[in-house]
Amino acid sequence: MNEQQQLNYHRIADAIHFVRENFKKQPSLGDIAESVHLSPYHFQRLFSDWAGVSPKKFIQYTSVEYAKRLLKEQQATLLDAASQTGLSGTGRLHDLFISIEGMTPGEFKNKGARLSINHSFAESPFGKLLVASTAKGICHMAFIEDEKEALEVLKGRFANAVHQEYFDCLQQGALSVFQGDRNQLDQVKLHLSATPFQLKVWNALLKIPEGRLSTYGDIAKRIASPRASRAVGTAVGSNPVAFLIPCHRVIRASGNIGGYAWGDIRKTAMIGWEASRQ
């Protein structure tokens, strides 16, 4: 790292610290830029390059994370959460949650309340799976090593839902994709809670043909955000439905297989299996 890069790194670190200390005041771009002695224009570009998101989006992320802690740990009301986060009202809190979490503050606080979730364990060519569904579609599918731990993860995502072990037709349809029925994938219904950005990324993943690979940069261009490769990587990594949303088809621009939530070896095997079926 040369001298200029070191200087930029420290400026961004200072800016992040400033936001975390002052987000309740909802500082403007100018306020943050001034704290690190840069013009708003220069700071906007520098921060976006280093952090992968704009300063405005970073403030929003910080605000929502704080509001989530208030709602979850302190059981705060929506009005109190908005006020303590420095937002103008519950409407602003609602809009931020929809934009960043893909759900309303009330839905986050309820954490799956009034949802009935069926789950089952199944074998696949790539190991054991936990698959779960609501009345609307598949909400969770993950490769697992330990059934108890995997079930705890599922119940942590939907803590207030009613869970039962039951193999339904939605799960049956989802698992049939491992049995050579390529057309079945188009019929699988998903029930996902996600941000608009995550949904755009996951939809782009669904368009990668079986047996083909794409890069994070390719996905960023496909969703008209060519500078958002890092954010794309985060969205790919947060995919809650293994294989059906084919994040395993995304590799690094260097050709390196890259990471995978369910293991690099499994990812390599899946890529090879799909290529052999062409």
Side-chain angles (χ1 to χ4, degrees), residues 25-274:
K25 300 177 182 177
Q26 296 296 303
S28 67
L29 173 64
D31 293 332
I32 310 171
E34 185 179 358
S35 74
V36 292
H37 312 294
L38 290 173
S39 71
Y41 175 78
H42 186 193
F43 173 70
Q44 170 91 5
R45 295 191 62 181
L46 185 67
F47 190 93
S48 298
D49 286 342
W50 277 74
V53 296
S54 68
K56 178 180 178 180
K57 185 64 71 174
F58 184 74
I59 294 173
Q60 291 176 343
Y61 288 154
T62 304
S63 299
V64 167
E65 286 303 311
Y66 182 70
K68 284 165 64 178
R69 290 200 301 271
L70 294 175
L71 293 170
K72 182 178 180 179
E73 298 172 9
Q74 299 183 24
Q75 295 298 304
T77 65
L78 300 186
L79 182 60
D80 285 344
S83 176
Q84 292 183 50
T85 309
L87 302 173
S88 56
T90 56
R92 179 62 178 144
L93 182 66
H94 178 278
D95 291 344
L96 273 185
F97 263 79
I98 290 293
S99 173
I100 295 174
E101 292 295 318
M103 66 180 78
T104 68
E107 288 171 337
F108 171 82
K109 191 173 183 178
N110 291 336
K111 202 123 185 195
R114 297 183 295 279
L115 270 182
S116 179
I117 296 178
N118 297 329
H119 70 267
S120 63
F121 299 96
E123 296 293 339
S124 81
F126 312 107
K128 198 164 193 175
L129 282 164
L130 169 62
V131 56
S133 55
T134 69
K136 294 182 179 180
I138 301 298
C139 62
H140 181 92
M141 192 157 96
F143 294 102
I144 67 169
E145 302 298 331
D146 182 277
E147 290 189 4
K148 183 178 179 181
E149 290 181 3
L151 196 54
E152 287 176 354
V153 171
L154 172 64
K155 290 183 175 179
R157 287 188 60 213
F158 303 97
N160 296 325
V162 175
H163 294 265
Q164 64 173 340
E165 186 167 0
Y166 180 73
F167 184 59
D168 59 31
C169 60
L170 289 167
Q171 297 168 27
Q172 183 178 12
L175 294 172
S176 69
V177 301
F178 294 111
Q179 300 167 4
D181 189 352
R182 303 182 190 189
N183 295 325
Q184 181 61 38
L185 183 58
D186 294 332
Q187 308 301 318
V188 174
K189 296 180 179 179
L190 302 177
H191 183 189
L192 303 175
S193 176
T195 70
F197 184 81
Q198 286 174 324
L199 290 175
K200 283 201 296 185
V201 171
W202 298 346
N203 186 58
L205 298 182
L206 290 169
K207 294 178 181 178
I208 304 173
E210 181 179 314
R212 300 285 295 277
L213 300 176
S214 189
T215 68
Y216 298 102
D218 291 336
I219 298 298
K221 292 175 184 175
R222 189 172 296 179
I223 64 171
S225 300
R227 294 168 60 87
S229 293
R230 292 182 187 177
V232 165
T234 300
V236 170
S238 63
N239 170 25
V241 181
F243 197 83
L244 299 183
I245 298 177
C247 53
H248 60 279
R249 297 175 190 164
V250 183
I251 63 173
R252 293 174 181 163
S254 64
N256 187 291
I257 289 294
Y260 185 57
W262 296 284
D264 297 354
I265 294 175
R266 180 175 281 119
K267 179 177 182 177
T268 304
M270 292 163 72
I271 290 172
W273 184 74
E274 290 189 330

